[in-house]
Each structure stands twice: as C-alpha cells, then as structure tokens.
Amino acid sequence: MSADLTAIAARIPLEAFGAGKVEVLDEILADDYVVHVLPAEGTGGAEVLAGLIGRLRSAFPDLAYSVDDVIVSGSTVAMRATASGTQTGQLQSLAPTGKRAKWTEMHFLRFADDRVVEHWGVADEFAALQQLGIAAHTMPAVLDILAGREIRIPDGAKEIVAGYDAYGS
C-alpha cells in the first residue's frame, strides 16, 4: 500500500456523502466493491453506494459530515464520523419533518491496491430518528421500512392486541 489510506477513506463521508460528489467513488472503490451498510448491502461497485448517497442527500439536502477518529491497521481503516442535516425531503416512506438531526457512524474499510474492496458501516439511526420526532415504539417498523424490508407482525401479536382490546372494554 503506497497511498494514505486515511485520506482515501475520508473521501467517502466528506466528498461523496457530504458534498454529493459521487464521482469520487469511481476513483476509490474497487470494481468488485462489497458494501455491508444497510439499506445498500451488496456488490456492484460505486453505483450501490451512489444510490444510498442519492437517497440520503434527497432527504437531507444540507447533509454534512466530519471525520472524528481514524485508525489504520494493515489494510483496514476504522473511522468514526458525525453526520448532520435537516430532513426537508422524503426519507423512504417518512414525510419531511423539517427537523435537524445529528448522528454518529462507524465504518470499517478494507483496502487492496489502494482501493476500497469491502466496507462495513453502521449509523445511529435510532438517535437520528428520535431527533426527527419519530416515536421510539415505531422504531422496529421504521428500520424495516428504511431497509426496504417487509414489515412482519410476530406470531401471536394479534391475539395479544385482541386481549388488550378486551381488557379495556
């Protein structure tokens, strides 16, 4: 590895997400790049991550990032970043709230030949959605919606609800 992996890794939150310059992804991601960041998990190179960036920037047009901590170990970079923005656009099925949110993200990027080949990431979506005014009891369903998953009602839930309804009457 000849390049500064810290500088390359920081381009993803600062330039691609924060400034909306998705073209930098072609410069830093390998063709066989694999992302493990919901809801964009999969293979496919830059277009996979560019889709997630587009959806997030559409919901938060003023999206901004800072890189708070970076640790490099061999060919892996661990990074803690802070994101913030005002939700003035649709966030999947969530209507714009006009509220500002700030959240922390953790990323691990594996490099080969100075390009990112694999990326694991997790964002504190719970904190962000709370700041947007989303009720805590709706969080499991909201996270399923954000990830594009079907919302499932657990076995027995209908009977429990029917029991509560009977109790209140």
Side-chain angles (χ1 to χ4, degrees), residues 12 38 106 118 126:
I12 294 173
L38 291 175
M106 303 296 290
E118 201 161 13
F126 184 79

Side-chain angles (χ1 to χ4, degrees), residues 3-136:
D4 178 2
L5 300 185
T6 300
I8 296 170
R11 293 184 74 188
I12 294 173
L14 298 177
E15 294 180 44
F17 277 86
K21 297 179 183 176
V22 294
E23 62 274 8
V24 305
L25 298 176
D26 291 326
E27 299 171 25
I28 60 178
L29 301 182
D31 291 337
D32 59 348
Y33 167 78
V34 177
V35 60
H36 304 282
V37 179
L38 291 175
E41 188 155 358
T43 59
E47 66 275 2
V48 173
L49 198 54
L52 174 60
I53 292 168
R55 290 188 299 276
L56 194 57
R57 289 195 58 79
S58 177
F60 298 92
D62 63 344
L63 186 64
Y65 272 81
S66 66
V67 174
D68 306 314
D69 291 302
V70 179
I71 298 171
V72 179
S73 177
S75 63
T76 301
V77 173
M79 179 173 37
R80 181 176 62 89
T82 300
S84 62
T86 309
Q87 191 216 354
T88 58
Q90 191 80 13
L91 181 61
Q92 299 289 0
S93 63
L94 304 174
T97 63
K99 294 181 180 180
R100 188 155 182 79
K102 182 177 180 180
W103 61 93
T104 301
E105 297 181 4
M106 303 296 290
H107 297 274
F108 295 86
L109 301 111
R110 187 174 60 82
F111 283 79
D113 300 321
D114 300 332
R115 289 190 169 246
V116 179
V117 294
E118 201 161 13
H119 176 186
W120 295 265
V122 63
D124 188 354
E125 295 170 353
F126 184 79
L129 292 172
Q130 275 189 318
Q131 293 169 63
L132 297 175
I134 308 300

